[in-house]
Amino acid sequence: MVAQASFITALMFYVGVIYTSAYYGYFHLSPFALGFGFGEFVLHSLHLATFPVLVGAASTALRHRGRRP
């Protein structure tokens, strides 16, 4: 369970860095120069969580909920 949470957190951090870099890159600013921390990058990844993405994630989680490895 801890490994899954670590993977999801790392994925959210990566997506947050990509999103923030693209957003502030438009203004020719580096998000690292602005002093964003780990938490800000993880929270910025939530901007990409649109309704279709959430529905897909929920349906995948419900589909695999009853299965055992």
Side-chain angles (χ1 to χ4, degrees):
M1 187 60 100
V2 173
Q4 293 173 349
S6 298
F7 176 74
I8 291 171
T9 304
L11 184 63
M12 288 178 68
F13 174 76
Y14 175 73
V15 170
V17 168
I18 297 299
Y19 173 80
T20 307
S21 296
Y23 182 80
Y24 287 105
Y26 177 79
F27 302 107
H28 301 287
L29 296 171
S30 171
F32 300 105
L34 295 173
F36 289 125
F38 181 80
E40 284 90 6
F41 286 125
V42 171
L43 289 176
H44 285 201
S45 71
L46 296 176
H47 288 286
L48 300 176
T50 60
F51 185 71
V53 173
L54 293 176
V55 169
S59 67
T60 302
L62 290 174
R63 188 177 321 135
H64 294 292
R65 186 177 72 169
R67 295 183 186 173
R68 296 215 179 241

